[in-house]
Amino acid sequence: MKKKLTYIILGFSIFLNVLYFKYDTVDYLWPKIEKKHFKPKLLNAKDYNRAEKTIVNASFKMLKSEEAVMVWEENYGLAKKILENNNVTNQGSFRRYNYPRAFLFYGLAKFLISKGDKKEVQILIKEFDKYITQEGQPDFKLNKVDQIVFGLTAIELYQYTKDHKYKAFLNHIDNFILDNKDSIEIINYRKEADNYLNDVLGMVVPYLQKNDNSTAAKKQLQYFIENGIDPESFLPAHSFNRHLKSKAGSSNWGRGIGWYYIALAHYYKETGEFEEEYIGITNTINKLKTTEGLWSQFPGSSDAFDASATTMFMYGQQLLNPELYTKHEILSMLANYINEDGEILQTSGDTYGVNRYSATFGKSELSQGMLLLLLANTKK
Protein backbone atom coordinates (compact mmCIF):
# COMPACT_ATOMS: atom_id res chain seq x y z
CA MET A 1 0.00 0.00 0.00
CA LYS A 2 2.81 2.36 0.94
CA LYS A 3 4.63 1.57 -2.29
CA LYS A 4 1.47 2.18 -4.31
CA LEU A 5 0.96 5.56 -2.60
CA THR A 6 4.55 6.50 -3.44
CA TYR A 7 3.95 5.75 -7.13
CA ILE A 8 0.74 7.80 -7.09
CA ILE A 9 2.52 10.79 -5.53
CA LEU A 10 5.42 10.40 -7.97
CA GLY A 11 3.04 10.22 -10.94
CA PHE A 12 1.12 13.27 -9.75
CA SER A 13 4.39 15.16 -9.25
CA ILE A 14 5.52 14.33 -12.81
CA PHE A 15 2.12 15.39 -14.14
CA LEU A 16 2.32 18.75 -12.32
CA ASN A 17 5.87 19.32 -13.56
CA VAL A 18 4.79 18.67 -17.14
CA LEU A 19 1.93 21.16 -16.75
CA TYR A 20 4.22 23.77 -15.23
CA PHE A 21 6.73 23.23 -18.02
CA LYS A 22 4.02 23.72 -20.63
CA TYR A 23 2.20 26.74 -19.19
CA ASP A 24 4.99 28.50 -17.27
CA THR A 25 7.87 27.81 -19.65
CA VAL A 26 6.81 26.75 -23.15
CA ASP A 27 3.62 28.82 -23.57
CA TYR A 28 5.16 31.89 -21.89
CA LEU A 29 8.73 31.86 -23.16
CA TRP A 30 8.49 30.19 -26.56
CA PRO A 31 6.56 33.03 -28.31
CA LYS A 32 9.22 35.49 -27.11
CA ILE A 33 12.05 33.24 -28.26
CA GLU A 34 10.33 32.57 -31.57
CA LYS A 35 9.75 36.27 -32.21
CA LYS A 36 13.36 37.17 -31.45
CA HIS A 37 15.26 34.31 -33.07
CA PHE A 38 12.96 32.62 -35.61
CA LYS A 39 11.63 35.03 -38.18
CA PRO A 40 8.64 33.66 -40.15
CA LYS A 41 8.99 32.94 -43.84
CA LEU A 42 6.99 35.56 -45.67
CA LEU A 43 4.56 35.49 -48.55
CA ASN A 44 5.85 36.45 -51.98
CA ALA A 45 3.64 39.52 -52.43
CA LYS A 46 5.01 40.23 -55.90
CA ASP A 47 3.28 37.18 -57.35
CA TYR A 48 -0.17 38.62 -56.69
CA ASN A 49 -2.35 35.85 -58.11
CA ARG A 50 -0.60 33.15 -56.10
CA ALA A 51 -0.51 35.36 -53.01
CA GLU A 52 -4.24 35.98 -53.28
CA LYS A 53 -4.98 32.27 -53.55
CA THR A 54 -2.73 31.52 -50.57
CA ILE A 55 -4.52 34.11 -48.44
CA VAL A 56 -7.92 32.65 -49.36
CA ASN A 57 -6.74 29.12 -48.53
CA ALA A 58 -5.43 30.28 -45.16
CA SER A 59 -8.74 32.02 -44.48
CA PHE A 60 -10.74 28.88 -45.19
CA LYS A 61 -8.43 26.90 -42.94
CA MET A 62 -9.12 29.34 -40.09
CA LEU A 63 -12.84 29.25 -40.82
CA LYS A 64 -13.05 25.46 -40.70
CA SER A 65 -10.95 25.11 -37.55
CA GLU A 66 -12.68 24.22 -34.30
CA GLU A 67 -10.06 26.29 -32.47
CA ALA A 68 -9.93 30.09 -32.61
CA VAL A 69 -6.60 31.58 -33.70
CA MET A 70 -7.19 35.02 -32.13
CA VAL A 71 -5.30 35.60 -28.87
CA TRP A 72 -7.97 35.56 -26.15
CA GLU A 73 -5.80 35.35 -23.03
CA GLU A 74 -2.32 36.09 -21.72
CA ASN A 75 0.10 33.25 -20.97
CA TYR A 76 0.74 33.89 -17.29
CA GLY A 77 1.27 30.37 -16.05
CA LEU A 78 -0.48 27.31 -14.68
CA ALA A 79 -2.07 28.90 -11.60
CA LYS A 80 -3.83 31.56 -13.70
CA LYS A 81 -4.85 28.90 -16.23
CA ILE A 82 -6.52 26.81 -13.54
CA LEU A 83 -8.22 29.79 -11.86
CA GLU A 84 -9.64 31.15 -15.13
CA ASN A 85 -10.41 27.84 -16.81
CA ASN A 86 -14.17 28.25 -16.34
CA ASN A 87 -14.32 31.85 -17.53
CA VAL A 88 -16.83 32.45 -20.32
CA THR A 89 -14.12 33.77 -22.64
CA ASN A 90 -12.23 30.47 -22.35
CA GLN A 91 -15.14 28.48 -23.72
CA GLY A 92 -14.82 27.27 -27.30
CA SER A 93 -18.36 28.38 -28.17
CA PHE A 94 -17.66 31.94 -26.99
CA ARG A 95 -14.63 32.20 -29.25
CA ARG A 96 -16.19 30.42 -32.21
CA TYR A 97 -19.37 32.50 -32.34
CA ASN A 98 -17.78 35.89 -31.95
CA TYR A 99 -16.66 38.94 -33.92
CA PRO A 100 -13.26 37.67 -35.22
CA ARG A 101 -14.78 34.73 -37.06
CA ALA A 102 -17.78 36.82 -38.10
CA PHE A 103 -15.50 39.32 -39.83
CA LEU A 104 -13.57 36.48 -41.45
CA PHE A 105 -16.84 35.17 -42.92
CA TYR A 106 -17.71 38.66 -44.14
CA GLY A 107 -14.28 39.26 -45.68
CA LEU A 108 -14.39 35.95 -47.54
CA ALA A 109 -17.95 36.57 -48.74
CA LYS A 110 -17.13 40.01 -50.11
CA PHE A 111 -13.89 38.84 -51.70
CA LEU A 112 -15.19 35.66 -53.34
CA ILE A 113 -18.39 37.24 -54.62
CA SER A 114 -16.46 40.21 -56.04
CA LYS A 115 -14.17 37.73 -57.83
CA GLY A 116 -17.12 35.81 -59.23
CA ASP A 117 -15.65 32.57 -57.89
CA LYS A 118 -18.83 30.47 -57.77
CA LYS A 119 -17.09 27.28 -56.66
CA GLU A 120 -15.49 28.84 -53.59
CA VAL A 121 -18.62 30.84 -52.79
CA GLN A 122 -20.42 27.50 -52.51
CA ILE A 123 -17.76 26.28 -50.09
CA LEU A 124 -18.28 29.43 -48.03
CA ILE A 125 -22.06 28.92 -48.07
CA LYS A 126 -21.58 25.36 -46.83
CA GLU A 127 -19.49 26.64 -43.90
CA PHE A 128 -21.87 29.48 -43.04
CA ASP A 129 -24.86 27.14 -43.15
CA LYS A 130 -23.32 25.26 -40.22
CA TYR A 131 -24.15 28.34 -38.14
CA ILE A 132 -27.86 28.46 -38.99
CA THR A 133 -30.67 25.95 -39.48
CA GLN A 134 -32.63 25.44 -42.70
CA GLU A 135 -35.30 27.72 -41.23
CA GLY A 136 -32.76 30.50 -40.57
CA GLN A 137 -32.54 29.98 -36.82
CA PRO A 138 -29.07 30.70 -35.41
CA ASP A 139 -27.47 27.36 -34.52
CA PHE A 140 -25.81 29.03 -31.55
CA LYS A 141 -26.97 31.15 -28.63
CA LEU A 142 -27.44 34.66 -30.00
CA ASN A 143 -26.60 36.65 -26.87
CA LYS A 144 -23.82 39.11 -27.70
CA VAL A 145 -23.59 42.32 -29.72
CA ASP A 146 -20.39 40.88 -31.22
CA GLN A 147 -22.51 38.29 -33.08
CA ILE A 148 -24.45 40.94 -35.02
CA VAL A 149 -21.49 40.94 -37.43
CA PHE A 150 -22.62 37.52 -38.73
CA GLY A 151 -25.53 39.44 -40.22
CA LEU A 152 -23.19 41.17 -42.70
CA THR A 153 -22.44 37.79 -44.30
CA ALA A 154 -26.11 36.84 -44.26
CA ILE A 155 -26.94 40.03 -46.18
CA GLU A 156 -24.30 39.17 -48.80
CA LEU A 157 -25.53 35.57 -49.13
CA TYR A 158 -29.17 36.60 -49.34
CA GLN A 159 -28.37 39.02 -52.15
CA TYR A 160 -26.33 36.31 -53.87
CA THR A 161 -28.71 33.35 -53.48
CA LYS A 162 -32.12 34.89 -52.64
CA ASP A 163 -32.46 32.02 -50.15
CA HIS A 164 -34.96 33.17 -47.52
CA LYS A 165 -33.25 31.32 -44.68
CA TYR A 166 -30.68 34.14 -44.66
CA LYS A 167 -33.50 36.68 -44.48
CA ALA A 168 -34.96 34.73 -41.57
CA PHE A 169 -31.59 34.79 -39.83
CA LEU A 170 -31.48 38.57 -40.26
CA ASN A 171 -34.87 38.78 -38.57
CA HIS A 172 -33.42 37.01 -35.54
CA ILE A 173 -30.58 39.52 -35.41
CA ASP A 174 -33.03 42.43 -35.74
CA ASN A 175 -35.08 41.06 -32.86
CA PHE A 176 -31.92 40.68 -30.76
CA ILE A 177 -31.06 44.32 -31.48
CA LEU A 178 -34.56 45.43 -30.46
CA ASP A 179 -34.25 43.51 -27.20
CA ASN A 180 -30.94 45.20 -26.45
CA LYS A 181 -32.03 48.78 -27.09
CA ASP A 182 -32.57 50.99 -24.06
CA SER A 183 -35.19 53.67 -23.51
CA ILE A 184 -33.37 56.13 -25.82
CA GLU A 185 -32.85 53.41 -28.46
CA ILE A 186 -29.13 52.99 -27.83
CA ILE A 187 -27.68 49.51 -28.24
CA ASN A 188 -25.39 48.62 -25.35
CA TYR A 189 -22.39 46.32 -25.53
CA ARG A 190 -23.73 44.47 -22.53
CA LYS A 191 -27.10 45.00 -20.88
CA GLU A 192 -27.14 47.40 -17.93
CA ALA A 193 -23.44 48.28 -18.42
CA ASP A 194 -22.37 51.65 -17.03
CA ASN A 195 -19.95 52.32 -19.86
CA TYR A 196 -20.73 52.65 -23.55
CA LEU A 197 -17.85 51.15 -25.58
CA ASN A 198 -16.74 52.20 -29.05
CA ASP A 199 -16.55 48.48 -29.94
CA VAL A 200 -20.33 48.57 -30.32
CA LEU A 201 -20.18 50.99 -33.22
CA GLY A 202 -17.94 48.84 -35.43
CA MET A 203 -20.06 45.76 -34.81
CA VAL A 204 -23.50 47.38 -35.12
CA VAL A 205 -23.42 50.42 -37.42
CA PRO A 206 -22.16 48.64 -40.59
CA TYR A 207 -24.93 46.07 -40.16
CA LEU A 208 -27.64 48.68 -39.54
CA GLN A 209 -26.48 50.71 -42.52
CA LYS A 210 -26.34 47.73 -44.90
CA ASN A 211 -29.70 46.49 -43.60
CA ASP A 212 -31.45 49.75 -44.52
CA ASN A 213 -31.69 51.08 -40.98
CA SER A 214 -29.82 54.33 -41.39
CA THR A 215 -31.86 56.09 -38.70
CA ALA A 216 -30.74 53.64 -36.02
CA ALA A 217 -27.15 53.74 -37.30
CA LYS A 218 -27.09 57.54 -37.02
CA LYS A 219 -28.50 57.42 -33.50
CA GLN A 220 -25.65 55.19 -32.29
CA LEU A 221 -22.97 57.36 -33.91
CA GLN A 222 -24.53 60.64 -32.75
CA TYR A 223 -24.68 59.39 -29.17
CA PHE A 224 -21.01 58.47 -29.17
CA ILE A 225 -19.85 61.61 -30.99
CA GLU A 226 -21.64 63.79 -28.44
CA ASN A 227 -20.01 62.05 -25.48
CA GLY A 228 -16.87 60.14 -26.48
CA ILE A 229 -14.92 62.18 -29.06
CA ASP A 230 -12.04 64.56 -28.52
CA PRO A 231 -13.13 67.80 -30.28
CA GLU A 232 -9.64 68.66 -31.54
CA SER A 233 -8.22 65.34 -32.74
CA PHE A 234 -11.62 63.70 -33.38
CA LEU A 235 -10.22 60.53 -31.77
CA PRO A 236 -12.64 58.41 -29.72
CA ALA A 237 -12.11 57.40 -26.12
CA HIS A 238 -12.54 53.66 -25.60
CA SER A 239 -15.74 54.41 -23.70
CA PHE A 240 -17.67 56.89 -21.62
CA ASN A 241 -19.73 56.52 -18.48
CA ARG A 242 -23.38 56.70 -19.50
CA HIS A 243 -24.49 58.41 -16.29
CA LEU A 244 -21.65 60.87 -15.71
CA LYS A 245 -20.82 61.31 -19.43
CA SER A 246 -17.15 61.11 -18.46
CA LYS A 247 -14.68 59.45 -20.85
CA ALA A 248 -12.99 56.23 -19.74
CA GLY A 249 -10.21 54.10 -21.19
CA SER A 250 -7.50 54.79 -23.71
CA SER A 251 -8.02 57.53 -26.29
CA ASN A 252 -5.39 56.03 -28.59
CA TRP A 253 -6.20 52.32 -28.51
CA GLY A 254 -5.78 51.44 -32.18
CA ARG A 255 -8.48 48.80 -32.53
CA GLY A 256 -10.93 51.00 -30.62
CA ILE A 257 -10.27 53.86 -33.03
CA GLY A 258 -10.75 51.30 -35.79
CA TRP A 259 -14.16 50.22 -34.46
CA TYR A 260 -15.35 53.81 -34.47
CA TYR A 261 -13.67 54.59 -37.79
CA ILE A 262 -15.21 51.77 -39.84
CA ALA A 263 -18.64 52.62 -38.40
CA LEU A 264 -18.20 56.29 -39.29
CA ALA A 265 -16.92 55.40 -42.77
CA HIS A 266 -19.91 53.15 -43.55
CA TYR A 267 -22.37 55.82 -42.50
CA TYR A 268 -20.60 58.78 -44.11
CA LYS A 269 -20.19 56.90 -47.39
CA GLU A 270 -23.95 56.36 -47.72
CA THR A 271 -25.29 59.61 -46.29
CA GLY A 272 -22.56 62.26 -46.45
CA GLU A 273 -23.29 63.09 -42.80
CA PHE A 274 -20.60 63.49 -40.11
CA GLU A 275 -18.18 64.75 -42.76
CA GLU A 276 -16.26 66.92 -40.28
CA GLU A 277 -15.75 63.95 -37.96
CA TYR A 278 -14.66 61.62 -40.76
CA ILE A 279 -12.20 64.05 -42.34
CA GLY A 280 -10.94 65.13 -38.92
CA ILE A 281 -10.14 61.63 -37.68
CA THR A 282 -8.66 60.64 -41.05
CA ASN A 283 -6.24 63.57 -40.86
CA THR A 284 -5.29 62.63 -37.31
CA ILE A 285 -4.63 58.94 -37.87
CA ASN A 286 -2.58 59.74 -40.97
CA LYS A 287 -0.29 61.74 -38.69
CA LEU A 288 0.07 58.81 -36.30
CA LYS A 289 1.66 56.28 -38.66
CA THR A 290 4.67 54.23 -37.64
CA THR A 291 8.03 54.61 -39.36
CA GLU A 292 6.82 51.90 -41.79
CA GLY A 293 3.76 53.96 -42.72
CA LEU A 294 1.42 51.60 -40.83
CA TRP A 295 -0.17 51.72 -37.36
CA SER A 296 0.48 50.30 -33.91
CA GLN A 297 -1.64 49.03 -31.03
CA PHE A 298 -1.48 52.52 -29.51
CA PRO A 299 -0.86 54.99 -32.34
CA GLY A 300 1.29 57.92 -31.31
CA SER A 301 2.94 56.13 -28.41
CA SER A 302 4.26 52.94 -29.98
CA ASP A 303 5.95 51.93 -33.23
CA ALA A 304 5.19 48.20 -33.07
CA PHE A 305 2.85 47.06 -35.86
CA ASP A 306 -0.69 45.94 -35.01
CA ALA A 307 -2.52 44.19 -37.85
CA SER A 308 -6.00 44.96 -36.54
CA ALA A 309 -5.49 48.71 -36.17
CA THR A 310 -3.70 48.90 -39.53
CA THR A 311 -6.21 46.93 -41.59
CA MET A 312 -9.19 48.69 -39.98
CA PHE A 313 -7.73 52.14 -40.70
CA MET A 314 -6.91 51.18 -44.28
CA TYR A 315 -10.40 49.74 -44.74
CA GLY A 316 -12.06 52.84 -43.26
CA GLN A 317 -10.20 55.02 -45.76
CA GLN A 318 -10.65 52.70 -48.72
CA LEU A 319 -14.43 52.52 -48.25
CA LEU A 320 -14.59 56.17 -49.29
CA ASN A 321 -11.85 55.91 -51.89
CA PRO A 322 -11.64 52.45 -53.52
CA GLU A 323 -8.77 53.70 -55.70
CA LEU A 324 -6.65 54.67 -52.69
CA TYR A 325 -4.65 51.41 -52.85
CA THR A 326 -4.06 48.87 -55.58
CA LYS A 327 -4.08 45.21 -54.58
CA HIS A 328 -0.33 45.12 -55.14
CA GLU A 329 0.15 48.16 -52.88
CA ILE A 330 -1.91 46.57 -50.11
CA LEU A 331 0.17 43.39 -50.18
CA SER A 332 3.43 45.33 -50.49
CA MET A 333 2.58 47.51 -47.48
CA LEU A 334 1.79 44.44 -45.39
CA ALA A 335 4.43 42.14 -46.92
CA ASN A 336 6.55 41.96 -43.76
CA TYR A 337 3.58 40.68 -41.78
CA ILE A 338 1.98 38.00 -43.99
CA ASN A 339 3.59 34.58 -43.67
CA GLU A 340 4.14 32.13 -46.49
CA ASP A 341 0.91 30.32 -45.53
CA GLY A 342 -1.11 33.48 -46.22
CA GLU A 343 -1.85 34.41 -42.59
CA ILE A 344 -1.52 38.02 -41.49
CA LEU A 345 0.50 38.23 -38.29
CA GLN A 346 0.79 40.42 -35.21
CA THR A 347 -2.73 41.29 -34.09
CA SER A 348 -2.99 42.38 -30.46
CA GLY A 349 -5.07 39.99 -28.38
CA ASP A 350 -8.64 40.50 -27.24
CA THR A 351 -9.16 43.34 -24.79
CA TYR A 352 -10.18 42.35 -21.28
CA GLY A 353 -11.99 45.57 -20.42
CA VAL A 354 -11.59 49.33 -20.33
CA ASN A 355 -7.94 50.09 -19.49
CA ARG A 356 -7.10 46.37 -19.67
CA TYR A 357 -5.36 45.71 -22.97
CA SER A 358 -3.56 42.64 -24.21
CA ALA A 359 0.23 42.54 -24.36
CA THR A 360 0.23 39.42 -26.56
CA PHE A 361 0.17 39.41 -30.36
CA GLY A 362 -0.68 36.66 -32.83
CA LYS A 363 -2.79 35.67 -35.80
CA SER A 364 -6.43 36.69 -35.89
CA GLU A 365 -9.55 35.96 -37.89
CA LEU A 366 -10.45 39.65 -37.52
CA SER A 367 -7.35 40.96 -39.32
CA GLN A 368 -7.55 38.14 -41.88
CA GLY A 369 -11.11 39.20 -42.67
CA MET A 370 -10.13 42.87 -42.87
CA LEU A 371 -7.32 42.01 -45.28
CA LEU A 372 -9.84 40.24 -47.53
CA LEU A 373 -12.20 43.23 -47.34
CA LEU A 374 -9.35 45.49 -48.46
CA LEU A 375 -8.57 43.24 -51.41
CA ALA A 376 -12.25 42.94 -52.32
CA ASN A 377 -13.00 46.66 -52.23
CA THR A 378 -10.09 47.97 -54.27
CA LYS A 379 -10.92 49.16 -57.79
CA LYS A 380 -7.39 48.78 -59.15
Side-chain angles (χ1 to χ4, degrees), residues 271-286:
T271 68
E273 297 183 64
F274 300 129
E275 181 176 44
E276 181 184 11
E277 287 78 11
Y278 179 79
I279 293 174
I281 191 174
T282 299
N283 290 337
T284 296
I285 63 177
N286 282 339

Side-chain angles (χ1 to χ4, degrees), residues 13-14 34 37 47 57 79 97 103 127 141 173 207 248 251 287 310 331 344 354 370:
S13 175
I14 293 171
E34 185 179 37
H37 298 289
D47 186 352
N57 288 341
Y97 304 115
F103 270 107
E127 290 302 315
K141 191 172 183 179
I173 291 180
Y207 171 76
S251 61
K287 295 174 184 175
T310 295
L331 291 180
I344 189 166
V354 175
M370 285 290 166

Side-chain angles (χ1 to χ4, degrees), residues 39-89:
K39 301 298 181 184
K41 293 182 179 180
L42 300 175
L43 187 70
N44 178 9
K46 293 180 180 179
D47 186 352
Y48 172 72
N49 289 329
R50 180 173 292 182
E52 180 185 79
K53 182 66 177 174
T54 304
I55 290 167
V56 169
N57 288 341
S59 302
F60 269 120
K61 185 178 178 181
M62 285 184 186
L63 204 61
K64 294 176 181 180
S65 173
E66 292 295 321
E67 298 294 325
V69 300
M70 175 95 172
V71 174
W72 287 93
E73 59 185 335
E74 307 290 299
N75 291 319
Y76 287 143
L78 179 60
K80 184 174 184 293
K81 188 75 175 177
I82 292 172
L83 288 172
E84 297 186 354
N85 189 54
N86 290 324
N87 282 4
V88 171
T89 56

